mmCIF file of all heavy atoms in Angstrom:
data_model
loop_
_atom_site.group_PDB
_atom_site.id
_atom_site.type_symbol
_atom_site.label_atom_id
_atom_site.label_comp_id
_atom_site.label_asym_id
_atom_site.label_seq_id
_atom_site.Cartn_x
_atom_site.Cartn_y
_atom_site.Cartn_z
ATOM 1 N N ASP E 15 115.754 68.054 149.070
ATOM 2 C CA ASP E 15 114.856 66.965 148.700
ATOM 3 C C ASP E 15 113.509 67.539 148.355
ATOM 4 O O ASP E 15 113.039 68.462 148.888
ATOM 5 C CB ASP E 15 114.701 66.020 149.818
ATOM 6 C CG ASP E 15 116.101 65.371 150.256
ATOM 7 O OD1 ASP E 15 116.744 64.996 149.299
ATOM 8 O OD2 ASP E 15 116.270 65.263 151.409
ATOM 9 N N THR E 16 112.837 66.819 147.392
ATOM 10 C CA THR E 16 111.346 67.136 146.996
ATOM 11 C C THR E 16 110.593 66.259 147.736
ATOM 12 O O THR E 16 110.765 64.995 147.549
ATOM 13 C CB THR E 16 111.267 67.151 145.466
ATOM 14 O OG1 THR E 16 112.143 68.036 144.877
ATOM 15 C CG2 THR E 16 109.786 67.438 145.128
ATOM 16 N N TYR E 17 109.574 66.761 148.526
ATOM 17 C CA TYR E 17 108.681 65.877 149.209
ATOM 18 C C TYR E 17 107.213 66.056 148.764
ATOM 19 O O TYR E 17 106.857 67.089 148.198
ATOM 20 C CB TYR E 17 108.799 66.132 150.833
ATOM 21 C CG TYR E 17 110.147 65.907 151.327
ATOM 22 C CD1 TYR E 17 110.680 66.874 152.111
ATOM 23 C CD2 TYR E 17 110.667 64.615 151.247
ATOM 24 C CE1 TYR E 17 111.938 66.618 152.713
ATOM 25 C CE2 TYR E 17 111.983 64.477 151.856
ATOM 26 C CZ TYR E 17 112.524 65.408 152.556
ATOM 27 O OH TYR E 17 113.701 65.155 153.098
ATOM 28 N N THR E 18 106.370 65.109 149.124
ATOM 29 C CA THR E 18 104.938 65.171 148.934
ATOM 30 C C THR E 18 104.461 66.303 149.885
ATOM 31 O O THR E 18 105.139 66.685 150.829
ATOM 32 C CB THR E 18 104.227 63.882 149.179
ATOM 33 O OG1 THR E 18 104.417 63.500 150.476
ATOM 34 C CG2 THR E 18 104.724 62.793 148.287
ATOM 35 N N ALA E 19 103.263 66.725 149.663
ATOM 36 C CA ALA E 19 102.684 67.720 150.505
ATOM 37 C C ALA E 19 102.655 67.217 151.921
ATOM 38 O O ALA E 19 102.986 68.000 152.861
ATOM 39 C CB ALA E 19 101.251 68.110 149.980
ATOM 40 N N SER E 20 102.168 66.096 152.198
ATOM 41 C CA SER E 20 102.030 65.496 153.518
ATOM 42 C C SER E 20 103.352 65.455 154.162
ATOM 43 O O SER E 20 103.516 65.832 155.343
ATOM 44 C CB SER E 20 101.335 64.173 153.468
ATOM 45 O OG SER E 20 101.260 63.564 154.649
ATOM 46 N N VAL E 21 104.385 64.946 153.537
ATOM 47 C CA VAL E 21 105.691 64.783 154.094
ATOM 48 C C VAL E 21 106.264 66.123 154.357
ATOM 49 O O VAL E 21 106.914 66.363 155.427
ATOM 50 C CB VAL E 21 106.581 63.922 153.278
ATOM 51 C CG1 VAL E 21 108.005 63.910 153.802
ATOM 52 C CG2 VAL E 21 106.092 62.504 153.168
ATOM 53 N N ALA E 22 106.221 67.113 153.450
ATOM 54 C CA ALA E 22 106.746 68.414 153.656
ATOM 55 C C ALA E 22 106.129 69.087 154.890
ATOM 56 O O ALA E 22 106.755 69.783 155.729
ATOM 57 C CB ALA E 22 106.469 69.366 152.424
ATOM 58 N N LEU E 23 104.764 68.898 155.033
ATOM 59 C CA LEU E 23 104.077 69.535 156.247
ATOM 60 C C LEU E 23 104.487 68.832 157.514
ATOM 61 O O LEU E 23 104.828 69.482 158.572
ATOM 62 C CB LEU E 23 102.489 69.510 155.990
ATOM 63 C CG LEU E 23 101.718 70.156 156.953
ATOM 64 C CD1 LEU E 23 102.090 71.605 157.133
ATOM 65 C CD2 LEU E 23 100.211 70.099 156.518
ATOM 66 N N SER E 24 104.496 67.459 157.444
ATOM 67 C CA SER E 24 104.864 66.861 158.753
ATOM 68 C C SER E 24 106.285 66.898 159.162
ATOM 69 O O SER E 24 106.588 67.065 160.335
ATOM 70 C CB SER E 24 104.465 65.388 158.761
ATOM 71 O OG SER E 24 105.140 64.662 157.732
ATOM 72 N N SER E 25 107.222 66.993 158.263
ATOM 73 C CA SER E 25 108.645 67.038 158.533
ATOM 74 C C SER E 25 109.166 68.516 158.667
ATOM 75 O O SER E 25 110.175 68.722 159.026
ATOM 76 C CB SER E 25 109.468 66.343 157.412
ATOM 77 O OG SER E 25 109.358 67.015 156.219
ATOM 78 N N GLN E 26 108.285 69.500 158.156
ATOM 79 C CA GLN E 26 108.695 70.836 158.143
ATOM 80 C C GLN E 26 110.007 71.122 157.424
ATOM 81 O O GLN E 26 110.843 71.876 157.772
ATOM 82 C CB GLN E 26 108.855 71.428 159.575
ATOM 83 C CG GLN E 26 107.578 71.334 160.360
ATOM 84 C CD GLN E 26 106.576 72.393 159.976
ATOM 85 O OE1 GLN E 26 106.991 73.639 159.946
ATOM 86 N NE2 GLN E 26 105.475 72.149 159.587
ATOM 87 N N SER E 27 110.016 70.353 156.262
ATOM 88 C CA SER E 27 111.279 70.501 155.522
ATOM 89 C C SER E 27 111.039 70.130 154.009
ATOM 90 O O SER E 27 109.955 69.619 153.681
ATOM 91 C CB SER E 27 112.350 69.500 156.043
ATOM 92 O OG SER E 27 111.931 68.175 155.937
ATOM 93 N N GLY E 28 112.037 70.460 153.266
ATOM 94 C CA GLY E 28 111.956 70.225 151.748
ATOM 95 C C GLY E 28 112.572 71.317 150.991
ATOM 96 O O GLY E 28 113.044 72.263 151.584
ATOM 97 N N ASN E 29 112.404 71.231 149.677
ATOM 98 C CA ASN E 29 112.945 72.337 148.860
ATOM 99 C C ASN E 29 111.845 73.213 148.440
ATOM 100 O O ASN E 29 110.745 73.127 148.835
ATOM 101 C CB ASN E 29 113.744 71.745 147.691
ATOM 102 C CG ASN E 29 112.912 70.762 146.799
ATOM 103 O OD1 ASN E 29 111.642 70.845 146.777
ATOM 104 N ND2 ASN E 29 113.548 69.941 145.921
ATOM 105 N N CYS E 30 112.185 74.169 147.473
ATOM 106 C CA CYS E 30 111.188 75.114 147.041
ATOM 107 C C CYS E 30 110.076 74.391 146.339
ATOM 108 O O CYS E 30 108.848 74.822 146.424
ATOM 109 C CB CYS E 30 111.793 76.222 146.198
ATOM 110 S SG CYS E 30 112.647 75.594 144.719
ATOM 111 N N LEU E 31 110.290 73.288 145.629
ATOM 112 C CA LEU E 31 109.272 72.652 144.923
ATOM 113 C C LEU E 31 108.287 72.019 145.973
ATOM 114 O O LEU E 31 107.099 71.869 145.766
ATOM 115 C CB LEU E 31 109.861 71.593 143.994
ATOM 116 C CG LEU E 31 108.844 70.767 143.129
ATOM 117 C CD1 LEU E 31 107.898 71.657 142.339
ATOM 118 C CD2 LEU E 31 109.580 69.798 142.251
ATOM 119 N N SER E 32 108.854 71.407 147.062
ATOM 120 C CA SER E 32 108.097 70.890 148.146
ATOM 121 C C SER E 32 107.022 71.912 148.663
ATOM 122 O O SER E 32 105.909 71.625 148.919
ATOM 123 C CB SER E 32 108.917 70.424 149.333
ATOM 124 O OG SER E 32 109.820 69.454 148.855
ATOM 125 N N LEU E 33 107.543 73.215 148.775
ATOM 126 C CA LEU E 33 106.632 74.199 149.249
ATOM 127 C C LEU E 33 105.535 74.592 148.246
ATOM 128 O O LEU E 33 104.340 74.743 148.559
ATOM 129 C CB LEU E 33 107.350 75.502 149.516
ATOM 130 C CG LEU E 33 108.222 75.514 150.852
ATOM 131 C CD1 LEU E 33 108.991 76.808 150.914
ATOM 132 C CD2 LEU E 33 107.341 75.413 151.994
ATOM 133 N N ALA E 34 105.898 74.428 146.966
ATOM 134 C CA ALA E 34 104.910 74.626 145.844
ATOM 135 C C ALA E 34 103.867 73.653 145.861
ATOM 136 O O ALA E 34 102.621 73.787 145.728
ATOM 137 C CB ALA E 34 105.520 74.785 144.556
ATOM 138 N N ILE E 35 104.298 72.404 146.142
ATOM 139 C CA ILE E 35 103.404 71.218 146.129
ATOM 140 C C ILE E 35 102.504 71.318 147.374
ATOM 141 O O ILE E 35 101.249 71.152 147.326
ATOM 142 C CB ILE E 35 104.225 69.914 146.218
ATOM 143 C CG1 ILE E 35 104.817 69.653 144.825
ATOM 144 C CG2 ILE E 35 103.322 68.669 146.635
ATOM 145 C CD1 ILE E 35 105.985 68.543 144.960
ATOM 146 N N LEU E 36 103.018 71.667 148.570
ATOM 147 C CA LEU E 36 102.234 71.923 149.754
ATOM 148 C C LEU E 36 101.237 73.033 149.563
ATOM 149 O O LEU E 36 100.066 72.889 149.900
ATOM 150 C CB LEU E 36 103.056 72.234 150.919
ATOM 151 C CG LEU E 36 102.399 72.542 152.297
ATOM 152 C CD1 LEU E 36 101.468 71.482 152.630
ATOM 153 C CD2 LEU E 36 103.495 72.749 153.299
ATOM 154 N N THR E 37 101.614 74.187 148.968
ATOM 155 C CA THR E 37 100.774 75.195 148.717
ATOM 156 C C THR E 37 99.643 74.821 147.853
ATOM 157 O O THR E 37 98.426 75.251 148.096
ATOM 158 C CB THR E 37 101.534 76.390 148.154
ATOM 159 O OG1 THR E 37 102.543 76.781 149.107
ATOM 160 C CG2 THR E 37 100.612 77.650 147.956
ATOM 161 N N THR E 38 99.965 74.165 146.856
ATOM 162 C CA THR E 38 98.887 73.708 145.827
ATOM 163 C C THR E 38 97.842 72.719 146.507
ATOM 164 O O THR E 38 96.664 72.866 146.380
ATOM 165 C CB THR E 38 99.549 72.957 144.687
ATOM 166 O OG1 THR E 38 100.431 73.857 143.990
ATOM 167 C CG2 THR E 38 98.400 72.414 143.679
ATOM 168 N N ALA E 39 98.351 71.803 147.375
ATOM 169 C CA ALA E 39 97.530 70.978 148.072
ATOM 170 C C ALA E 39 96.496 71.623 148.984
ATOM 171 O O ALA E 39 95.400 71.405 149.033
ATOM 172 C CB ALA E 39 98.294 69.907 148.825
ATOM 173 N N LEU E 40 97.076 72.657 149.748
ATOM 174 C CA LEU E 40 96.158 73.410 150.575
ATOM 175 C C LEU E 40 95.173 74.289 149.726
ATOM 176 O O LEU E 40 94.006 74.369 150.137
ATOM 177 C CB LEU E 40 96.930 74.389 151.458
ATOM 178 C CG LEU E 40 97.925 73.563 152.587
ATOM 179 C CD1 LEU E 40 98.835 74.568 153.299
ATOM 180 C CD2 LEU E 40 97.039 72.707 153.526
ATOM 181 N N ALA E 41 95.628 74.892 148.808
ATOM 182 C CA ALA E 41 94.826 75.776 147.894
ATOM 183 C C ALA E 41 93.670 74.866 147.309
ATOM 184 O O ALA E 41 92.524 75.386 147.233
ATOM 185 C CB ALA E 41 95.630 76.514 146.844
ATOM 186 N N ASN E 42 93.985 73.727 146.857
ATOM 187 C CA ASN E 42 92.971 72.833 146.333
ATOM 188 C C ASN E 42 91.842 72.389 147.283
ATOM 189 O O ASN E 42 90.730 72.272 146.878
ATOM 190 C CB ASN E 42 93.598 71.473 145.817
ATOM 191 C CG ASN E 42 94.456 71.719 144.492
ATOM 192 O OD1 ASN E 42 94.284 72.815 143.808
ATOM 193 N ND2 ASN E 42 95.258 70.839 144.226
ATOM 194 N N LEU E 43 92.235 72.393 148.576
ATOM 195 C CA LEU E 43 91.203 72.124 149.533
ATOM 196 C C LEU E 43 90.154 73.140 149.661
ATOM 197 O O LEU E 43 88.960 72.674 150.077
ATOM 198 C CB LEU E 43 91.901 71.918 150.940
ATOM 199 C CG LEU E 43 92.540 70.640 151.266
ATOM 200 C CD1 LEU E 43 93.196 70.761 152.683
ATOM 201 C CD2 LEU E 43 91.539 69.551 151.291
ATOM 202 N N VAL E 44 90.389 74.302 149.392
ATOM 203 C CA VAL E 44 89.499 75.400 149.573
ATOM 204 C C VAL E 44 89.151 76.137 148.172
ATOM 205 O O VAL E 44 88.529 77.211 148.111
ATOM 206 C CB VAL E 44 89.974 76.440 150.634
ATOM 207 C CG1 VAL E 44 89.938 75.837 152.000
ATOM 208 C CG2 VAL E 44 91.316 76.889 150.272
ATOM 209 N N ASN E 45 89.544 75.396 147.132
ATOM 210 C CA ASN E 45 89.181 75.832 145.749
ATOM 211 C C ASN E 45 89.742 77.233 145.512
ATOM 212 O O ASN E 45 89.120 78.011 144.804
ATOM 213 C CB ASN E 45 87.734 75.791 145.530
ATOM 214 C CG ASN E 45 87.220 74.367 145.588
ATOM 215 O OD1 ASN E 45 87.678 73.372 144.995
ATOM 216 N ND2 ASN E 45 86.086 74.195 146.194
#
């Protein structure tokens, strides 16, 4: 499953795209 950043982080699950989304969200926070 592909999850949003928030869901991937809270559920500790998802596919490789979920990890890319989460990584992008965190990177955006700190520019």
Side-chain angles (χ1 to χ4, degrees):
D15 301 316
T16 302
Y17 297 129
T18 64
S20 178
V21 172
L23 186 54
S24 64
S25 69
Q26 297 287 302
S27 64
N29 59 17
C30 59
L31 184 54
S32 300
L33 284 177
I35 291 167
L36 175 56
T37 302
T38 300
L40 294 172
N42 288 345
L43 278 177
V44 291
N45 296 316

